[in-house]
């Protein structure tokens, strides 16, 4: 890997995040290199969704820093954060397409909101991105007329319409059959090569993660258990990581008092 490609595009230092009194992230440190696919994995409640929300500036942090493109997004103005977000693309888990708009209108929306391009240029750019994700000819359909895999690809087309330098995927394979999931994995790999984009993927799908990742960060109970290559993660001596890889159930001892306290709690913890 060249020196240029090894530069960090994201640097997270001592990140702590709360939901109310509940500590979700407990001193997370993470570097993401320009041009790589970083997969963030972990079990339910590990903090991977919260970490992604922090990286996107959608969730405030308690302490620590998040540097993206050299700027700490926890300490910049809303205008500076807006400028950084224009360099990001996000494909949300459910697609997040607007049901009242056609596929083309959904994909073109960022261009209409953030540029002054003319209609012909916008239409050409949207068709180009539809070609990239193998949805050419489907631009006039409504989101309700698309299959699950097509929704994911349409969301991906929208996320790359502004040619981002940094692309985020939230559970790209969730709810897809194995064949469609494999096709999406191949599409992510092609995007990395064609657009020279840095990609961050949050997923719990092991097969997908091992196929697309340059490196993997594994979270557990709000902490980074390890960051390494696919081979390093697979060969890790960490018992929690091996339990996850081999789908071994955790042997938990139930504390009666803690169990009763959870049942009688008057608030519900958010998804993390």
């Amino acid at each position: 890997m060249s020196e240029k490609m090894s530069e960090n595009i994201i640097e997270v230092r001592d990140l702590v995040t709360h939901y109310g009194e509940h500590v979700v992230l407990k001193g997370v440190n993470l570097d993401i290199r320009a041009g790589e696919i970083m997969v963030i994995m972990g079990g339910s409640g590990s903090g991977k969704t919260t970490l992604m929300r922090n990286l996107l500036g959608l969730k405030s942090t308690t302490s620590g820093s998040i540097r993206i493109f050299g700027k700490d997004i926890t300490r910049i103005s809303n205008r500076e954060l807006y400028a950084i977000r224009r360099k990001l693309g996000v494909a949300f888990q459910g697609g997040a397409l607007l049901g009242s708009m056609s596929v083309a209108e959904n994909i073109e929306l960022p261009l209409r909101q953030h540029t002054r391009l003319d209609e012909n240029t916008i239409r050409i750019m949207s068709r180009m991105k539809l070609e990239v994700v193998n949805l050419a000819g489907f631009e006039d359909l409504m989101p309700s007329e698309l299959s699950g895999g097509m929704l994911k690809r349409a969301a991906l087309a929208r996320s790359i319409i502004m040619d981002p330098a940094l692309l985020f995927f939230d559970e790209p394979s969730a709810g897809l059959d194995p064949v469609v999931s494999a096709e999406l994995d191949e599409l992510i790999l092609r995007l990395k090569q064609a657009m020279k984009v840095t990609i961050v993927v949050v997923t719990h799908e092991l097969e997908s993660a091992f196929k697309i990742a340059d490196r993997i960060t594994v979270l557990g109970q709000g902490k980074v258990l390890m960051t390494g290559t696919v081979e390093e993660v697979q060969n890790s001596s960490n018992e929690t990581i091996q339990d996850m890889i081999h789908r071994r159930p955790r042997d938990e001892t139930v504390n009666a008092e803690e169990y009763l306290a959870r049942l009688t709690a008057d608030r519900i913890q958010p998804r993390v």
Side-chain angles (χ1 to χ4, degrees), residues 116-133:
R116 296 182 179 179
L117 295 173
D118 62 82
E119 286 297 314
N120 285 335
T121 302
I122 289 175
R123 181 51 59 93
I124 290 171
M125 290 181 67
S126 68
R127 286 177 176 173
M128 288 174 60
K129 294 307 189 285
L130 284 168
E131 289 277 358
V132 169
V133 300

Side-chain angles (χ1 to χ4, degrees), residues 135-263:
L135 280 180
F138 295 94
E139 58 266 27
D140 294 328
L141 293 184
M142 303 300 287
S144 61
E145 299 175 296
L146 302 180
S147 66
M150 293 169 73
L151 275 171
K152 297 274 189 178
R153 284 185 280 149
L156 175 54
R158 185 178 60 185
S159 72
I160 63 175
I161 192 66
M162 299 278 287
D163 294 323
L166 182 56
L167 184 58
F168 290 86
F169 285 94
D170 183 15
E171 299 284 4
S173 300
L176 302 180
D177 67 58
V179 173
V180 176
S181 179
E183 291 173 349
L184 192 58
D185 289 340
E186 290 294 337
L187 179 56
I188 292 172
L189 290 170
R190 290 202 304 270
L191 279 176
K192 175 196 171 186
Q193 295 299 322
M195 299 182 64
K196 308 301 180 185
V197 63
T198 303
I199 300 176
V200 180
V201 180
V202 173
T203 185
H204 66 278
E205 299 285 348
L206 288 171
E207 185 175 355
S208 176
F210 292 160
K211 181 177 181 179
I212 67 175
D214 290 307
R215 293 190 302 149
I216 297 174
T217 292
V218 184
L219 296 181
Q221 296 184 336
K223 297 180 180 180
V224 174
L225 300 181
M226 75 169 295
T227 296
T229 64
V230 171
E231 183 177 3
E232 288 170 341
V233 170
Q234 290 174 331
N235 295 328
S236 171
S237 60
N238 185 288
E239 184 176 353
T240 300
I241 293 175
Q242 289 302 316
D243 286 346
M244 180 183 67
I245 291 174
H246 297 290
R247 297 173 58 88
R248 293 196 292 252
R250 291 172 292 185
D251 184 15
E252 295 183 342
T253 301
V254 178
N255 181 293
E257 292 184 359
E258 292 180 357
Y259 178 64
L260 180 60
R262 289 199 302 270
L263 291 178

Side-chain angles (χ1 to χ4, degrees), residues 8-17 28 30 54-57 59-85 87-88:
N8 295 330
I9 198 168
I10 297 177
E11 295 180 345
V12 179
R13 296 290 180 268
D14 302 320
L15 183 63
V16 177
T17 303
V28 168
L30 174 65
N54 285 153
L55 295 178
L56 293 172
K59 166 65 181 169
S60 61
T61 64
T62 303
S63 61
S65 63
I66 302 172
R67 301 186 71 86
I68 300 181
F69 306 125
K71 293 189 175 182
D72 185 353
I73 66 170
T74 68
R75 292 172 174 83
I76 60 177
S77 66
N78 288 335
R79 176 171 296 192
E80 290 175 301
L81 180 59
Y82 176 80
I84 288 177
R85 282 176 172 166
K87 301 177 184 179
L88 310 180

